Amino acid sequence: MSSRLLRDPVPGHAVRFGDLLDDVELLLDRLVLPGLGGGPLVVLGHSMGGHLAAHLLARRPRLFARGILCAPMMGFLPRHGLGQQVIRAAAVAACLVPGVAGRPGPGTSRLPPLDRPFKGNPLTGCPDRYASDAAWMREQAALQVGGASWGWLRAASASMAALMRPAVVREITVPVLVLVAGDDRLVDNRATRRFAAGLPQGT
C-alpha cells in the first residue's frame, strides 16, 4: 500500500532502483537499527527483494552478518529468443518516447490482477496461494500490483547490469545462501548461478 509513481496505481513502475535502496536504508537507519541497538543483521529477500538485498549487502557490508536470497532477480528469463542486452536496449529506446515509460511493458497482461486466471500465470504453481492473494486484493484493492511498466523494465535492467559486475559481487564478503526455483518462469536461473559462483562465501 505504498504511494505510487503513476496516476494509475496498478502498474509496477520504477524510475531507478537506487530510489528503492535509499528507502530501505532510511528504514534501517531510522527504525530498525535504533530499535535493535545496532547490528549485525541477517537480510532475506525474494525475487526483486532478493535483488535489492544483494545490492544492500554490497552497499552496507558491515551491517549484515548473513544473507539469504530466494530466487533473486539477477536476469530475466529469455523470451522469444530475446536476450538480456536486447531487452535492456528495447526498454531504453521505448522510454525515450514521451508517455511510454509508464505504460505496460512487453508480455504484461492488460487485465487487472484480480481478473487474471490461474492457468498460465508465471508467478506460482500453487492454486491455493493464488486464491489467497486474490482474497487479500478483493478485501483491500490498494494491495493490487500489476505487471511491469517499460520504465520498471529499464530500471531493473540497469540495476541488474550494475549488480552483476564481478567487482560488485566480490564486495559481498559475508556468507550468502542463494536459492533457485527449478521451474521459475520469470527469473533466469543461469544468471543467478553466475552471481552465486562469484560470491566469496556463496552457497
Side-chain angles (χ1 to χ4, degrees), residues 27 42 55 59 73 81 89 93 124 169-170 174 186 191 194 198 201:
L27 179 72
V42 174
H55 267 297
R59 281 173 77 160
M73 185 186 76
T124 178
V169 178
R170 287 194 298 269
V174 300
L186 293 174
R194 287 196 302 272
Q201 295 195 73

Side-chain angles (χ1 to χ4, degrees), residues 41-185:
L41 306 174
V42 174
V43 62
L44 177 137
H46 169 71
S47 194
M48 187 175 82
H51 171 86
L52 295 171
H55 267 297
L56 281 173
L57 288 166
R59 281 173 77 160
R60 303 284 291 269
R62 297 182 181 177
L63 182 58
F64 300 101
R66 300 282 191 278
I68 303 169
L69 310 178
C70 176
M73 185 186 76
M74 300 300 174
F76 299 129
L77 197 62
R79 293 190 179 191
H80 312 298
L82 300 180
Q84 199 69 48
Q85 298 298 327
V86 174
I87 293 172
R88 183 179 182 188
V92 169
C95 289
L96 293 175
V97 180
V100 170
R103 293 182 186 168
T108 297
S109 173
R110 268 49 175 183
L111 292 173
L114 277 175
D115 294 335
R116 297 176 196 161
F118 169 76
K119 185 177 180 180
N121 90 86
L123 300 176
T124 178
C126 176
D128 293 336
R129 170 58 60 88
Y130 200 77
S132 173
D133 288 351
W136 279 105
M137 288 187 287
R138 273 192 292 273
E139 187 172 311
Q140 180 53 263
L143 292 173
Q144 290 194 76
V145 178
S149 69
W150 278 106
W152 183 94
L153 190 61
R154 176 186 59 182
S157 296
S159 186
M160 288 187 290
L163 181 59
M164 291 294 286
R165 294 200 307 264
V168 174
V169 178
R170 287 194 298 269
E171 291 176 8
I172 303 174
T173 56
V174 300
V176 178
L177 174 64
V178 182
L179 307 169
V180 296
D183 292 332
D184 205 312
R185 295 169 59 193

Side-chain angles (χ1 to χ4, degrees), residues 3-4 14-15 40 49 72 81 111 125 161 166 173 195 198:
S3 57
R4 305 297 168 91
V15 176
L111 292 173
T173 56
F195 169 83

Side-chain angles (χ1 to χ4, degrees), residues 10-30:
V10 174
H13 184 64
V15 176
R16 53 185 292 274
F17 273 32
D19 295 335
L20 306 176
L21 288 164
D22 291 344
D23 287 347
V24 175
E25 289 195 283
L26 189 66
L27 179 72
L28 286 167
D29 293 335
R30 297 280 181 89

